[in-house]
Amino acid sequence: MAPSEVSALKGETRVEEPDRLGRAIARRTAETRATVPDLELALDVDAGACLKLARERGCSLTAVLLRACAIALSEVPRANGAYRDGRFELYSRVNVGVTIQTDDGYLTPTVLDADLKSLQQLNEELAQVRDRALAGELTAPELAGATFTFSDLGEYGVQRSSALVNPPQAAALTAGSVRAVALVRDGAVVAGHAISLTLACDHRILFGARAAGFLRRIGELLQAADL
């Protein structure tokens, strides 16, 4: 069939121009896929302890996950760095960009010094930046300076999702939804909950074993609820 005949089968065509945010997302996604030799790893974590912690502290699970990432980043300098011009840049501050979905795409405000903030402080800051993001009130400085990116897609029911490294950062982590599962504890099968974590990293700075160790450390912190 001729191209015009194929197009006719699709009905009327309505063309939409992306807004500035949409163009920025497209540009960054293309840059990531074209320039970052990424490695992706996944880990299923027993979520019982961190869910209990969130209930006891009156905070969101996102805040608990963010706190675990921040602690692990402070312990694994390569994960809190960047590959730039053939060298490793390792940063002294742990600044986590937290992806917030909006009607037109997503924004990633930065939680500065996340490793130095308590669970309650992180929970309050997350609520504030989420409200500001949805209201379109975030400023350029609030979107800058991140050394790592974290996305929580749990509220959308997504169990597992690929993550995109945000150049020049070394890594990004995506958390899926909490799901009911059968777990083995002390040799017995019991009902429990699990969450899937997916880490994407720039393999030029965060190699396989080191990346796996970083992801495992996040899982250990969540399972021990030592936050």
Side-chain angles (χ1 to χ4, degrees):
M1 297 179 67
S4 59
E5 294 176 310
V6 173
S7 297
L9 292 175
K10 300 175 183 178
E12 295 183 2
T13 300
R14 179 166 58 91
V15 177
E16 292 186 358
E17 292 290 339
D19 59 14
R20 184 174 62 180
L21 176 59
R23 291 194 296 272
I25 291 173
R27 184 175 63 253
R28 293 294 283 177
T29 301
E31 178 185 354
T32 295
R33 289 306 189 198
T35 63
V36 178
D38 61 324
L39 171 71
E40 191 168 287
L41 304 92
L43 178 69
D44 287 336
V45 176
D46 183 343
C50 60
L51 287 172
K52 180 181 179 183
L53 178 64
R55 290 194 300 268
E56 291 176 346
R57 300 285 183 87
C59 65
S60 67
L61 180 59
T62 302
V64 174
L65 293 165
L66 174 57
R67 174 71 177 150
C69 288
I71 293 174
L73 286 165
S74 69
E75 297 175 351
V76 184
R78 286 278 188 92
N80 192 57
Y83 181 88
R84 195 194 298 269
D85 299 327
R87 296 179 177 178
F88 300 151
E89 293 184 350
L90 308 180
Y91 307 120
S92 62
R93 299 177 69 180
V94 175
N95 301 333
V96 181
V98 180
T99 300
I100 296 175
Q101 306 298 323
T102 68
D103 291 339
D104 298 319
Y106 63 86
L107 294 168
T108 311
T110 304
V111 177
L112 299 173
D113 301 313
D115 59 321
L116 303 180
K117 294 175 179 175
S118 68
L119 195 53
Q120 285 73 20
Q121 289 174 318
L122 291 175
N123 190 61
E124 292 172 6
E125 186 167 345
L126 284 172
Q128 292 170 1
V129 296
R130 180 183 177 86
D131 289 343
R132 288 176 55 77
L134 295 178
E137 298 174 348
L138 290 176
T139 62
E142 291 176 289
L143 299 169
T147 58
F148 180 82
T149 299
F150 168 66
S151 301
D152 184 0
L153 297 179
E155 65 180 287
Y156 299 96
V158 176
Q159 292 188 5
R160 191 187 301 272
S161 172
S162 296
L164 281 175
V165 178
N166 188 17
Q169 295 170 20
L173 184 126
T174 298
S177 61
V178 175
R179 63 189 189 279
V181 296
L183 299 172
V184 178
R185 291 179 182 153
D186 300 324
V189 178
V190 298
H193 293 86
I195 186 169
S196 293
L197 307 177
T198 304
L199 176 72
C201 55
D202 186 335
H203 199 251
R204 295 172 297 183
I205 180 172
L206 199 58
F207 311 141
R210 197 184 300 264
F214 171 64
L215 182 58
R216 181 181 63 190
R217 181 57 180 151
I218 296 173
E220 290 172 348
L221 290 164
L222 291 172
Q223 291 182 160
D226 184 17
L227 302 170

